Amino acid sequence: MAQMAEKFLLSRLSRAGFLILLPIAVFAVVQNEPLTAIAAIVGAGLVFTSNAFHPGRIRQPWPSIHRLLFGALLLLLVTSLWTGPWSLIHWLYVAPLIGFALLPLAWATAITLLVAALAVVATQGHGGIPERHQMVSALLLTIMLSGLLVFLREYKSRQLAPLRRTDELTQAASREYLSADLHKEIQRSEREGTDMSLIMIGLDTHLSDRNADADIRSILPRIGRYLHSQLRDFDTYYRVADLQFLIILPGIATTDAAALAETIRKGLSALLASHQLDLTVSAGIAGLNIGDDADSLQQSAANALRRAQQQGGNRAQSYSTWSHTTPPARTEGTGGPA
C-alpha cells in the first residue's frame, strides 16, 4: 500500500510539474528569454520521460533519453551562470536533487561538485554583483541538504535490505525466503494433516528469440499483478528465475492445483498475446508427499515444468501423472501433442 501511494503521488507531482513547465516556456518566449524557454522545454521533456510520469515503463530508449535531457538541462543552467538570465540561475538549486535521483551515486557526486566549482568560478568574474555570491552560498547549502537526503536514503536502504521480501519488478516474494517459507508450510501441512501443492509457471523460452528482451521484461510487472489477482490472500508466489514463478498453495490437493495451473496458464497466454508477444506458458504441478522436504518438493515442480516444456510447451503437467520411463498421455486442451 505504501509503495502504491508513493507511485501515485510521484505520478501526480510529475504531471503537475510538466503542466507548469510548458506555460513557463511560453512566457519565456513572450519575454524574449530563449535560454529560459529552451530550459523549460528540456525540463518538461525530462519529466515526460521519467518513470514517475509513465509508471512501469522500462523500455529503451527512454532511460537513455532521460539522461541526455538531464545533461542538456545541466549544460543550459551552467551556461546561465555567465550569460543569464538571473531567473534561470536559480534552477541550479534543483540540479543536485535530480542528479542524485537519476544517476549512480559516484556520477551524481562528481557532477554536483563540478557544478559547484563552476558556480564559484563564475562569481569571480562578477565580483560587483552581491546576488551571485548569495546564489553560491544558497547552492552550497542545497548541495549539503541533498547530501544529507542521499545519506538518509542509503542508510534506510541498507537497514531495510534484510526485511525486503518482494521482487521490485513483479512484486513476487523474494527468492531468498523461498526455502524457509516452504519449510514452514510443509511443517504446518504435516502437523494439521492437510494437502499442499506447488505450481511452477514458466514462459516457454524456445519462442523468446522472436521477442526482444526489453519487450519480455516490460510485461513481467503485469504477469506479477495477474498472478496476485488469481491467488488467495495466504498463497504466495516467488520469482525463481528470470521467466519462472513458483506458487505455494496450502490446503490444495494436486488435482485442484492442476486446474488452477491451467486457468493461470491460459490467462497468462492471453495476456502475452494482448501485448503482441509470441510466447506460450507452461506449468508444472507437484503435491506434497510423505518424505518430501522443501528442496525435493521444489525439484518435483521444476521437473514437471521441464517435462511440459520438453513436450513442446504450452501445457500444464503434474509430477504425479508421469514417470521417467512412461511417456505422458495426451490431455485435451493442454496445447499440443504429448
Side-chain angles (χ1 to χ4, degrees), residues 76-337:
L76 289 168
L77 297 181
V78 170
T79 302
S80 69
L81 287 169
W82 283 271
T83 64
W86 181 252
S87 59
L88 187 57
I89 294 175
H90 289 87
W91 290 25
L92 274 173
Y93 298 152
V94 301
L97 290 173
I98 298 176
F100 282 117
L102 181 61
L103 302 175
L105 186 58
W107 277 97
T109 301
I111 290 175
T112 299
L113 293 177
L114 178 61
V115 169
L118 291 174
V120 172
V121 171
T123 59
Q124 302 304 313
H126 300 83
I129 305 178
E131 291 83 356
R132 290 185 179 271
H133 296 279
Q134 295 174 6
M135 184 277 297
V136 171
S137 300
L139 178 60
L140 294 177
L141 179 60
T142 303
I143 292 174
M144 291 177 60
L145 291 175
S146 300
L148 178 61
L149 291 175
V150 170
F151 170 77
L152 293 175
R153 182 190 67 183
E154 295 298 317
Y155 180 78
K156 176 184 176 182
S157 177
R158 292 181 181 181
Q159 290 293 106
L160 295 180
L163 303 177
R164 192 173 292 120
R165 295 184 60 90
T166 58
D167 174 64
E168 293 182 1
L169 186 60
T170 63
Q171 300 305 306
S174 177
R175 183 180 180 180
E176 286 75 12
Y177 297 91
L178 172 57
S179 294
D181 292 348
L182 184 54
H183 178 70
K184 292 178 182 178
E185 290 298 337
I186 291 174
Q187 286 186 321
R188 180 183 294 113
S189 178
E190 292 176 343
R191 183 172 60 251
E192 298 176 357
T194 57
D195 293 315
M196 193 189 79
S197 299
L198 299 186
I199 299 175
M200 185 170 285
I201 299 288
L203 274 62
D204 295 326
T205 54
H206 65 280
L207 298 175
S208 62
D209 291 341
R210 307 176 191 175
N211 305 273
D213 290 341
D215 292 333
I216 297 176
R217 286 184 60 82
S218 69
I219 200 65
L220 288 177
R222 293 181 175 85
I223 292 177
R225 289 197 293 270
Y226 177 80
L227 291 176
H228 182 78
S229 70
Q230 296 298 308
L231 302 178
R232 303 167 296 176
D233 290 341
F234 48 86
D235 297 332
T236 51
Y237 66 102
Y238 303 78
R239 187 181 177 195
V240 294
D242 194 32
L243 301 178
Q244 291 183 357
F245 297 84
L246 187 138
I247 304 170
I248 300 178
L249 300 171
I252 291 186
T254 306
T255 53
D256 295 329
L260 177 60
E262 184 65 14
T263 299
I264 292 175
R265 191 189 65 77
K266 290 180 177 179
L268 288 177
S269 296
L271 176 65
L272 293 168
S274 69
H275 288 79
Q276 290 77 49
L277 291 177
D278 188 17
L279 283 170
T280 57
V281 181
S282 295
I285 305 98
L288 178 65
N289 294 309
I290 296 176
D292 274 334
D293 58 17
D295 293 334
S296 64
L297 192 55
Q298 288 182 65
Q299 190 61 48
S300 296
N303 288 338
L305 175 62
R306 187 181 305 109
R307 179 72 170 187
Q309 292 178 330
Q310 287 173 349
Q311 296 301 310
N314 196 29
R315 68 185 62 223
Q317 176 71 61
S318 295
Y319 183 78
S320 58
T321 62
W322 61 277
S323 70
H324 293 285
T325 57
T326 304
R330 178 186 176 91
T331 302
E332 295 297 331
T334 56

Side-chain angles (χ1 to χ4, degrees), residues 7-8 10-12 14-15 47 49-56:
K7 291 181 179 179
F8 176 83
L10 288 175
S11 177
R12 293 299 181 271
S14 64
R15 281 167 168 73
V47 173
T49 56
S50 66
N51 286 331
F53 197 93
H54 298 281

